[in-house]
Amino acid sequence: WVKGEVETAIAFLQESARRDPDVAIPYANLATIFGETGRLSEAESVAKKLLTLEPQFSARAWCANNPFRDPGRRKREEAALVRAGLPA
């Protein structure tokens, strides 16, 4: 998805979530992608699932621990997660 292969990333993450539905990471990444691309109904659905798995999830904490060093990228991801319906 970072390389612009959004649909490929979505398919991979959806399969990952299907295989192991109790792991939060694919849902957080899907919420980010859907929030970034304006697919808000899908983002909200994924965000609800993520919050059932991780009730204390926050966009800020998630982005503070992501591997991207670019602060602009982190801010964009944080904003996408908030657009998806997740707490800041």
Side-chain angles (χ1 to χ4, degrees):
W1 123 67
V2 175
K3 293 179 179 181
E5 297 178 28
V6 174
E7 294 305 318
T8 300
I10 290 170
F12 174 81
L13 291 164
Q14 287 173 329
E15 177 62 17
S16 179
R18 187 192 66 74
R19 287 184 181 195
D20 203 349
D22 297 326
V23 174
I25 293 169
Y27 298 104
N29 287 321
L30 282 166
T32 302
I33 294 170
F34 290 144
E36 255 185 357
T37 58
R39 294 164 67 169
L40 299 184
S41 63
E42 292 167 288
E44 291 170 6
S45 174
V46 170
K48 286 180 187 176
K49 174 64 178 178
L50 176 56
L51 288 173
T52 64
L53 295 172
E54 297 286 339
Q56 301 302 316
F57 183 92
S58 90
R60 188 168 298 123
W62 175 262
C63 291
N65 292 311
N66 78 24
F68 296 112
R69 293 183 180 190
D70 174 12
R73 177 76 191 173
R74 287 183 182 184
K75 286 192 180 284
R76 286 192 304 276
E77 287 197 18
E78 185 176 333
L81 287 166
V82 171
R83 272 194 303 279
L86 292 158

